[in-house]
Structures are given as C-alpha cells and as structure tokens.
Amino acid sequence: MSEAKAVVAKKPRVSPAEFVRQVQTETRKIAWPTLPDTVRMTIMVLIMTTLLSVFFLGIDQILGRTVKFLLSLAA
C-alpha cells in the first residue's frame, strides 16, 4: 500500500520591507472602534464580570453548604 502524502504549497519568501508594507496595508483595513464604543463595551464587560462573579459565589456557597451538610450526616 502506498501512503498519500499531503501536498504543501510553498509560499514565496518576502523581504522584511515587503512584510512591513503588507502589515501596514492590512492595518489600514481595520475598523477601529470609536471612544464611545470602547467605553460602552468596557462597561458591559465590567457589568457581566460582576454578575458572573456574584452568580458563581452563590453557586459556591450552595455547594459548600450542601457538602458540609452531607458530611455532618456521615459523622
């Protein structure tokens, strides 16, 4: 049996100067968020982080008390 070999396409090497030009060209295509958008997204992240931390604190407390209760039954 012969095994099929994956064909890897070789990309031509570019000079460092050409690479920098390509990076600059791609950077110009980026749609950067405005300051109000950035502030709004930051506030949303902080709110969601706070809500999730409170949620997981509650779950942790419930599970901790459940385990303590179950261990007290075994003693």
Side-chain angles (χ1 to χ4, degrees):
M1 275 181 149
S2 69
E3 294 183 27
K5 292 185 179 179
V7 177
V8 178
K10 296 274 185 173
K11 293 184 178 182
R13 294 187 140 236
V14 295
S15 69
E18 178 61 25
F19 175 75
V20 170
R21 279 192 291 275
Q22 289 176 359
V23 169
Q24 288 173 340
T25 302
E26 291 300 318
T27 303
R28 287 187 201 106
K29 295 178 184 178
I30 297 173
W32 298 101
T34 62
L35 181 61
D37 288 340
T38 304
V39 170
R40 188 179 314 114
M41 286 186 273
T42 301
I43 292 170
M44 288 303 296
V45 167
L46 293 173
I47 290 171
M48 291 306 296
T49 303
T50 303
L51 289 175
L52 285 172
S53 65
V54 169
F55 170 76
F56 285 116
L57 174 66
I59 295 297
D60 185 55
Q61 291 295 315
I62 291 170
L63 291 175
R65 290 179 184 180
T66 303
V67 168
K68 282 183 183 178
F69 173 71
L70 293 174
L71 289 174
S72 70
L73 293 178

